[in-house]
Amino acid sequence: MSKIAVIGTGYVGLTTGVCFAHLGHEVICADIDPEKVDALSRGEVPILEADIDRLLAEARQAGRIRFVLGATNAAAECEFAYLCVPTPQGDDGSADLSYVEAAAREIGPVLPTGAVVVNKSTVPVGSTRVVERALGRSDISVVSNPEFLREGSAVSDFLNPDRVVIGSDHQDAAIRVASLYVGVPAPLMVTDPASAETIKYAANAFLATKLSFVNGIAAVCEAVGADVNDVVLGMGYDQRIGREFLRPGPGWGGSCFPKDTRALARIAEDAGYDFKFLRGVLDLNDEQFERVAAKVCDMVGESIEGRKIAAWGLTFKANTDDLRDSPAIEVLKRLSEQGASIRAFDPAVHGPVAELPGVEVVADPFLAVDDAEVLVVLTEWDEFKWVDLDKVADLMRRRQVLDARNLLDRSMLVRRGFNYRGIGRS
Ligand code: UGA
């Protein structure tokens, strides 16, 4: 079993640390936030992530995980140092590597001879070299090992992945990193660093493409009177297409897809290739926010100014409390700008949302719909399906639902006199 330092305890770093400890390794996780380090040291998990509390408790009990302040305190005795720090979007759409470089510069002087530094953060192609330079050590190998973790199910994605990708110019370092995954049932692929880094971007951009495509098909379905749910079901039987990732919605968001898709377009541009198609994928997503907002306006009729709208869902998808680049926020921002009076409910959001200063966030779904003219469903939380519709019908001023996730039972709503509209279906 190996000694692993994990630098950064966001959802990627924390999941990586906890899962490696679960696999039997000795893990030290570092962060720059003293409160977070204290909380994690007490076994308190600051993120909403299935199973992580249990695995952290087990690892602490077995003495296989510790949390420390500052990267050097974790890296001084490690055999592997995983960089799991943020790579936010820079002003020009490219990924900002400053956190990665700073972490590498910090641990460079203290890493034991022969240690391997592993890049798990999503970094532009060529970053392995950037990290090598920042480390300033010829005895340290740098390996790319991109993550494919979905928020909310990151633990299960780590322990049962579709594949593990390792990119390195040093075969011995690649084999050592591969050995960390003993016990993980997945194909393991070793390639060069540029290919590993590209795999990560290409995978996210392809998934985003699938979603923009299906949202485009939903628009076609509306125009021709087809039902997108049946259309994607029929498409998904074709194994070359597959059933996953074909749910239409209010657009795609989160901390990864928008940032990574823009970054790939930028990487291509910098390398001399104008990836028009990918820019089209991004434009379609912006259009989707507009389309959903326009549907709400259309259901209200005339002017939306001062009209009461209810929103269910604020997070970028269900089972997370993450609001970053949330399609729900994009849609509500547009409605708010036109003067709508909005009350929103989300099971994971308990206070005002900075990007939506005019929107009142309430504590239950009924408070949101009280006296509203349209209810718009923006996140696919399972609990929305079980809300008492009779009560909703009684409370609303007009019985109108725009179900931007095609989540609710249309016939139950229609039976109660609702004007129901979905995405890609009437
Ligand atoms: C995504 C990828 O799925 C992970 O493989 C990747 O590792 C991660 O980004 C990352 O780069 O770190 P995540 O951001 O957690 O994971 O979110 P997803 O579950 O992929 O959902 C992204 C967006 O697509 C959400 O807004 C979601 O609501 C939307 N979506 C997803 C749909 O509208 N329809 C679908 O059928 C699926």
Side-chain angles (χ1 to χ4, degrees), residues 125-126 128-129 144 167-169 191-199:
V125 181
T128 302
R129 305 274 171 269
S144 164
S168 179
D169 288 329
T191 179
D192 60 276
S195 301
E197 289 156 351
T198 306
I199 287 168

Side-chain angles (χ1 to χ4, degrees), residues 171-195:
Q171 210 186 353
D172 54 329
I175 290 168
R176 284 175 64 198
V177 172
S179 72
L180 299 175
Y181 287 90
V182 168
V184 170
L188 202 138
M189 170 178 175
V190 177
T191 179
D192 60 276
S195 301

Side-chain angles (χ1 to χ4, degrees), residues 155-240:
V155 167
S156 144
D157 287 347
F158 191 100
L159 296 173
N160 298 290
D162 290 334
R163 77 303 211 184
V164 173
V165 174
I166 296 170
S168 179
D169 288 329
H170 310 280
Q171 210 186 353
D172 54 329
I175 290 168
R176 284 175 64 198
V177 172
S179 72
L180 299 175
Y181 287 90
V182 168
V184 170
L188 202 138
M189 170 178 175
V190 177
T191 179
D192 60 276
S195 301
E197 289 156 351
T198 306
I199 287 168
K200 166 69 197 202
Y201 279 108
N204 271 4
F206 184 79
L207 290 169
T209 301
K210 227 177 156 181
L211 295 177
S212 274
F213 180 83
V214 89
N215 286 333
I217 289 295
V220 173
C221 287
E222 284 168 22
V224 302
D227 184 326
V228 73
N229 284 4
D230 287 349
V231 171
V232 295
L233 182 68
M235 284 166 64
Y237 278 118
D238 187 327
Q239 288 178 16
R240 294 167 302 172

Side-chain angles (χ1 to χ4, degrees), residues 72-85:
T72 49
N73 290 324
E77 288 170 32
C78 72
E79 296 163 75
F80 299 88
Y82 267 80
L83 301 181
C84 301
V85 294

Side-chain angles (χ1 to χ4, degrees), residues 11 147-149 151 200 204 247 253 256 316-317 405:
Y11 92 94
E147 54 88 9
F148 303 100
L149 310 174
E151 282 188 45
K200 166 69 197 202
N204 271 4
R247 272 181 293 111
C256 307
F316 83 95
K317 64 174 184 177
R405 294 282 185 170

Side-chain angles (χ1 to χ4, degrees), residues 170-326:
H170 310 280
Q171 210 186 353
D172 54 329
I175 290 168
R176 284 175 64 198
V177 172
S179 72
L180 299 175
Y181 287 90
V182 168
V184 170
L188 202 138
M189 170 178 175
V190 177
T191 179
D192 60 276
S195 301
E197 289 156 351
T198 306
I199 287 168
K200 166 69 197 202
Y201 279 108
N204 271 4
F206 184 79
L207 290 169
T209 301
K210 227 177 156 181
L211 295 177
S212 274
F213 180 83
V214 89
N215 286 333
I217 289 295
V220 173
C221 287
E222 284 168 22
V224 302
D227 184 326
V228 73
N229 284 4
D230 287 349
V231 171
V232 295
L233 182 68
M235 284 166 64
Y237 278 118
D238 187 327
Q239 288 178 16
R240 294 167 302 172
I241 296 172
R243 288 161 196 253
E244 298 289 322
F245 249 72
L246 283 180
R247 272 181 293 111
W252 40 268
S255 64
C256 307
F257 280 3
K259 160 176 89 72
D260 292 352
T261 310
R262 279 190 210 110
L264 181 56
R266 180 68 205 206
I267 289 166
E269 192 182 321
D270 289 348
Y273 173 61
D274 182 4
F275 207 159
K276 286 198 194 77
F277 172 82
L278 200 56
R279 287 194 278 109
V281 167
L282 284 156
D283 290 346
L284 253 160
N285 203 38
D286 286 338
E287 268 174 36
Q288 191 67 0
F289 307 145
E290 296 287 346
R291 278 171 46 79
V292 172
K295 273 169 182 267
V296 176
C297 295
D298 188 45
M299 288 172 91
V300 170
E302 291 179 24
S303 164
I304 196 165
E305 187 154 12
R307 311 289 280 272
K308 287 188 181 162
I309 306 296
W312 284 358
L314 289 165
T315 53
F316 83 95
K317 64 174 184 177
N319 305 317
T320 175
D321 55 1
D322 200 337
L323 293 166
R324 284 176 291 177
D325 270 315
S326 171

